[in-house]
Amino acid sequence: MTRADAIPVVVLISGSGTNLQALIDACRGDFPAKIVAVISNRPDVRGLGRATDAGIPTAVIDHTEYDSREAFDTALAGMIDQFTPKLVVLAGFMRILTPGFVLHYLGKLLNIHPSLLPRYPGLNTHQRALDNGDRLHGASIHFVTTELDGGPVILQASVPVHPEDDADTLAARVLEQEHKIYPLAVRWFAEGRLTLDNETPLLDQKPVIEPLQLEAI
Ligand code: GRF
């Protein structure tokens, strides 16, 4: 059931869409956001099936069909804006976005990244945490700014790294936490509790200087 005041959200994906699924599941309850479209840059990915199964409109903007990042981002923004979202959620969306795109959605563009930022921006985060002998790893939700994986972090969840871990077992442990923190951050945003003030996230009007930790909430 969708609340009358639920804000429209567009979710961007590139793959399996388990974070999308966590958001779809959250929206089935009393949730202040409604997913109005799921857009993928890759055809035939599992996440598109998840959206269709939930009755959510889908679109594919295939980045291989565009000559430049700018052309792709312009087409992507054109598609997103048809759904007039109040929030755009990157959920395993594996494209670097142009500054023009990011600025167009500044303050209403969230990303999830599988590391405790600022550690390990970019790819292969789990292997890098293992290679460094980290005892703690995790995931971060941040507002997207023009710096790749460098926007201000709102919320994190940590997991222990076990001696017998490989990148897959560690990724699975992190993913479980991702599925908790993304619906929570989207809820805060949709309730108007989470905003971006210049470069600083505000939760309930208070600056989030150090990322909030799920374990402490
Ligand atoms: C997640 O680990 C996310 O943090 C990263 O890519 C993975 C996507 O997983 N950006 P899914 O598509 O949500 O299952």
Side-chain angles (χ1 to χ4, degrees), residues 99-121:
F101 182 96
V102 170
L103 293 174
H104 181 61
Y105 297 105
L106 196 64
K108 51 180 199 171
L109 186 58
L110 292 178
N111 185 40
I112 189 158
H113 184 76
S115 78
L116 295 173
L117 289 169
R119 288 175 85 75
Y120 315 127

Side-chain angles (χ1 to χ4, degrees), residues 40-44 59-76 79 95:
S40 173
N41 66 307
R42 293 211 183 96
D44 304 323
V60 174
I61 308 279
D62 184 344
H63 64 278
T64 65
E65 292 173 4
Y66 295 84
D67 291 338
S68 66
R69 273 190 202 286
E70 284 74 15
F72 169 73
D73 280 7
T74 300
L76 181 60
M79 178 60 75
R95 296 287 303 165

Side-chain angles (χ1 to χ4, degrees), residues 9-29:
V9 176
V10 168
V11 181
L12 306 187
I13 61 166
S14 300
S16 71
T18 64
N19 278 293
L20 165 67
Q21 188 68 56
L23 291 167
I24 289 172
D25 293 346
C27 289
R28 291 210 170 96

Side-chain angles (χ1 to χ4, degrees), residues 87-171:
L87 174 67
V88 178
V89 165
L90 308 181
F93 184 68
M94 303 302 283
R95 296 287 303 165
I96 293 173
L97 296 162
T98 56
F101 182 96
V102 170
L103 293 174
H104 181 61
Y105 297 105
L106 196 64
K108 51 180 199 171
L109 186 58
L110 292 178
N111 185 40
I112 189 158
H113 184 76
S115 78
L116 295 173
L117 289 169
R119 288 175 85 75
Y120 315 127
L123 298 174
N124 303 319
T125 56
H126 309 302
Q127 191 57 53
R128 287 155 70 197
L130 289 171
D131 292 347
N132 274 332
D134 291 359
R135 294 270 185 80
L136 217 53
H137 186 46
S140 306
I141 307 284
H142 65 95
F143 277 110
V144 178
T145 61
T146 51
E147 191 188 337
L148 178 67
D149 298 329
V153 178
I154 302 152
L155 176 62
Q156 295 181 323
S158 303
V159 300
V161 180
H162 299 321
E164 66 278 15
D165 270 333
D166 60 23
D168 290 341
T169 57
L170 187 53

